[in-house]
């Protein structure tokens, strides 16, 4: 078991990114705010795993918007040349939770929070 875990650790960011993208794309049950908090608090590398998950959610939402734009649909948020990098995922998530604390319950999906963060921070101007 140790050998298997050690083998997977270097690939963990890519695995979590793929998992997050797959969860969002497939419409499967996404991680809730409560589950993300529990992961951060109980796992040895929980904060890092949660960060990877948030990056995956961010990238999945961004790809979803770009795909809908290619299909002629109106985007829910627009980057429009502004800076949006994976390293910004946690701060976007935390800021949205702080600003709109009354809007979110612990059992709501992380994706919903990140989507709200992107909508509020990257409003479409065109």
């Amino acid at each position: 078991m140790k050998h298997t875990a050690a083998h997977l650790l270097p690939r963990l960011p890519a695995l979590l990114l793929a998992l997050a993208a797959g969860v969002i794309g497939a419409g499967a049950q996404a991680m809730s705010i409560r589950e993300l908090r529990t992961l951060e608090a109980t796992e040895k590398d929980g904060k890092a795993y949660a960060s990877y998950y948030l990056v995956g959610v961010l990238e999945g939402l961004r790809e979803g918007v770009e795909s809908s734009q290619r299909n002629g649909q109106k985007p829910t948020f627009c980057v429009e040349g502004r800076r949006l990098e994976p390293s910004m995922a946690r701060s976007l998530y935390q800021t949205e939770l702080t600003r709109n604390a009354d809007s979110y319950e612990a059992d709501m999906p992380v994706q919903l929070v990140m989507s709200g963060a992107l909508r509020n921070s990257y409003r479409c101007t065109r």
Side-chain angles (χ1 to χ4, degrees):
M1 179 82 177
K2 264 187 166 179
H3 178 69
T4 303
H7 177 70
L8 289 176
L9 277 178
R11 296 186 354 216
L12 189 59
L15 291 171
L16 286 171
L17 184 64
L19 173 65
V23 165
I24 292 166
Q29 184 66 31
M31 190 180 298
S32 70
I33 298 167
R34 180 187 325 270
E35 290 167 331
L36 187 72
R37 288 177 180 157
T38 301
L39 173 67
E40 290 178 312
T42 59
E43 294 293 322
K44 179 183 173 210
D45 294 323
K47 187 139 179 129
Y49 297 159
S51 292
Y52 292 135
Y53 184 80
L54 290 171
V55 168
V57 171
L58 173 72
E59 293 295 326
L61 288 168
R62 188 171 187 173
E63 177 55 37
V65 162
E66 289 171 0
S67 175
S68 67
Q69 283 181 296
R70 286 189 297 269
N71 292 327
Q73 298 171 333
K74 184 178 178 191
T76 55
F77 66 91
C78 301
V79 177
E80 297 175 339
R82 292 173 280 182
R83 187 172 152 251
L84 178 57
E85 298 173 5
S87 62
M88 299 166 65
R90 179 171 291 280
S91 67
L92 283 165
Y93 174 78
Q94 282 304 140
T95 300
E96 178 66 13
L97 277 180
T98 302
R99 282 187 185 153
N100 299 300
D102 295 342
S103 300
Y104 299 107
E105 296 178 13
D107 292 323
M108 291 180 166
V110 169
Q111 178 186 358
L112 181 67
V113 178
M114 187 66 75
S115 179
L118 292 169
R119 244 187 349 269
N120 291 327
S121 297
Y122 294 89
R123 296 184 189 273
C124 296
T125 59
R126 297 179 210 169

